[in-house]
Amino acid sequence: MTDSNAPLSNITLGQAFWYWLKLGFISFGGPAGQIAIMHQDLVERRRWISEKRFLHALNYCMLLPGPEAQQLAIYIGWLMHRSWGGMVAGCLFVLPSLVILIALSWVYLAFGDMPAVAGVLYGIKPAVTAIVAAATHRIGARVLTNPWLWGIAIGAFVAIFVLHLPFPLIVLGAAMLGYVAGRVAPAQFAVGGDNANALRTFGPALIDDTTPTPAHALFTWARFTRVLLTGLGIWLAGMGSLSLVWGWEAVLTQMAWFFTKAALLTFGGAYAVLPYVHQGAVEHYQWLTALQMIDGLALGETTPGPLIMVVSFVGFLGGWRNAVMGAEELFLSGAVAATVVTVFTFLPSFVFIFLGGPFIESTHGKLGFTAPMTGITAAVVGVIANLALFFVTHVLWPEGQSGRFEWAALCIGLAAAVAIFRFRLGVIPVLAGCGLLGLAWALV
């Protein structure tokens, strides 16, 4: 494991491997929490990348369909250690979550009605809410460095919470505002904003503000074509293999096809694509029931990795229900289906980063490109605040605001908030403690 004071030039792919593996196990709290963890580790403590370069990469990831935190990990891994670095970072970001969700999905099907299991989940939900709220505060304090950016963030919150505008439209509006405002007040929309002077306190970084783009990250049409053909080839090989072995109408093949389409529609994160997944997985294919879909979302919220990992739960239940590997191999059926769904959901993220990363690196330091992207980052803070509010309402009023109010969940959530804000406890101790509180409440 790389120490925070280790020489920056000595960071190897092997050392990075262990960091990305650790991140895969501690990346709780949704995209806000995951991005905050990476910022604290890679910008502030380990100094693998400077604040400006970090935000420049993040802004690009915000534009893409798919999980932006995982894409940010791919981007940084690729920038540091070429394509192998990106693949290691991206795969390890989701692999622990896949293993944990396969195990939890089996526990859910085998023991989900037990009060102890339900109690632990009851306590973890408000803890996750507090983690997301704390991460929203952290990333907002870092990004919203002037009134211009505050205005964009507030406007984005109103747009999504009050007006229910689609996330792509909010991104487009923020980019346009950033472009126009960047010409009026360029200093306010340089990456880092008014906080740029404070960034120097972190010390020099391996990938610093003035570090030249490495040779492998330079844009060429030959490389662009090679990456595009490789990505399409991998996808076609996977789809072709499933079709040849099981047939086009088989459950696994249809899962691969459906979740490929879902991966291209996930603008705005997991919650933006859940209606599409619900319509297809529950209503059309009937891989699981509506109530099971809600339970899967709860499990997805309480495990590390992107929130869109709930699709692995969908795959497990669909594979189990249809016994895709045989009636005597239900666990294997669920595990294989969950793996297929995960691969086809996250494959596009790697292609997007490897394709677009070199172009984004060529725009580093150019205000004409960075100002719109800074505007997008500010807007995303407002969207994440809306996500935190979504968590609060669904945890405290699980049956809707006309239903009962969960006072116990409120107390557990407040305890988690105090632990995070006042005592600065880590994610894992907070989740473990709140899970025990939920278990005690259920048993009492």
Side-chain angles (χ1 to χ4, degrees):
M1 187 68 65
T2 303
D3 185 81
S4 60
N5 295 317
L8 296 175
S9 60
N10 292 339
I11 297 171
T12 65
L13 178 58
Q15 291 171 311
F17 173 93
W18 291 111
Y19 171 74
W20 297 121
L21 179 61
K22 172 189 172 184
L23 181 66
F25 281 103
I26 65 171
S27 57
F28 292 90
Q34 293 151 7
I35 292 167
I37 290 171
M38 281 191 283
H39 181 273
Q40 184 180 42
D41 281 348
L42 304 184
V43 176
E44 299 179 21
R45 193 165 69 85
R46 299 171 184 263
R47 305 189 305 280
W48 287 5
I49 187 169
S50 70
E51 171 106 345
K52 288 186 179 181
R53 298 292 281 267
F54 181 90
L55 290 178
H56 189 69
L58 174 61
N59 288 340
Y60 171 58
C61 297
M62 293 295 187
L63 293 172
L64 300 173
E68 60 267 28
Q70 188 229 13
Q71 289 164 346
L72 179 61
I74 297 172
Y75 194 111
I76 295 173
W78 162 77
L79 199 56
M80 292 181 62
H81 297 112
R82 307 172 66 93
S83 297
W84 277 111
M87 287 187 285
V88 166
C91 290
L92 293 181
F93 196 90
V94 299
L95 183 59
S97 181
L98 172 62
V99 174
I100 293 170
L101 269 175
I102 287 175
L104 289 178
S105 299
W106 176 78
V107 170
Y108 172 82
L109 289 173
F111 308 105
D113 294 332
M114 294 180 62
V117 176
V120 171
L121 287 174
Y122 182 89
I124 288 178
K125 290 178 186 178
V128 171
T129 303
I131 291 168
V132 173
T136 304
H137 174 268
R138 180 180 178 84
I139 192 172
R142 189 179 74 246
V143 171
L144 306 181
T145 57
N146 60 64
W148 292 84
L149 299 177
W150 269 100
I152 292 176
I154 293 171
F157 177 83
V158 172
I160 196 169
F161 180 72
V162 179
L163 303 179
H164 304 290
L165 296 181
F167 184 78
L169 185 60
I170 295 173
V171 167
L172 179 61
M176 294 175 63
L177 282 173
Y179 178 78
V180 173
R183 297 174 71 88
V184 176
Q188 309 296 318
F189 282 81
V191 178
D194 289 345
N195 204 35
N197 291 333
L199 304 181
R200 289 194 294 267
T201 60
F202 298 136
L206 176 66
I207 304 173
D208 220 333
D209 297 347
T210 58
T211 301
T213 301
H216 70 271
L218 296 173
F219 180 85
T220 65
W221 282 110
R223 183 190 179 280
F224 181 91
T225 303
R226 185 170 64 252
V227 171
L228 180 61
L229 292 178
T230 301
L232 288 175
I234 293 172
W235 181 82
L236 287 172
M239 288 297 300
S241 299
L242 291 173
S243 297
L244 286 174
V245 175
W246 280 283
W248 177 255
E249 297 298 330
V251 171
L252 289 177
T253 311
Q254 288 299 302
M255 282 183 172
W257 174 239
F258 174 76
F259 284 102
T260 295
K261 294 184 289 183
L264 301 177
L265 295 175
T266 53
F267 289 99
Y271 286 103
V273 79
L274 280 179
Y276 177 78
V277 173
H278 180 276
Q279 184 182 44
V282 176
E283 298 176 8
H284 180 69
Y285 292 105
Q286 298 181 350
W287 291 328
L288 72 172
T289 67
L291 289 177
Q292 288 173 332
M293 182 75 182
I294 295 172
D295 291 338
L297 179 59
L299 290 177
E301 291 172 348
T302 56
T303 55
L307 292 177
I308 195 61
M309 284 299 295
V310 66
V311 301
S312 302
F313 175 85
V314 174
F316 188 96
L317 265 65
W320 178 294
R321 187 172 187 175
N322 290 277
V324 297
M325 303 300 290
E328 301 300 320
E329 298 288 350
L330 292 183
F331 175 81
L332 180 62
S333 297
V336 169
T339 302
V340 167
V341 166
T342 302
V343 169
F344 282 88
T345 298
F346 289 96
L347 176 60
S349 292
F350 292 89
V351 178
F352 288 142
I353 296 302
F354 294 156
L355 273 181
F359 172 76
I360 296 303
E361 280 301 301
S362 70
T363 68
H364 172 63
K366 298 179 180 179
L367 186 62
F369 292 96
T370 60
M373 296 170 75
T374 300
I376 291 169
T377 303
V380 169
V381 175
V383 173
I384 294 174
N386 172 73
L387 175 62
L389 187 59
F390 177 93
F391 274 34
V392 169
T393 55
H394 283 72
V395 167
L396 299 184
W397 290 277
E399 300 173 355
Q401 295 189 16
S402 60
R404 72 182 189 280
F405 182 84
E406 292 291 341
W407 289 101
L410 174 62
C411 293
I412 293 174
L414 290 175
V418 170
I420 294 169
F421 283 100
R422 176 66 179 85
F423 297 103
R424 301 187 182 278
L425 293 185
V427 169
I428 294 177
V430 170
L431 287 173
C434 290
L436 291 174
L437 288 175
L439 175 60
W441 173 256
L443 295 179
V444 170

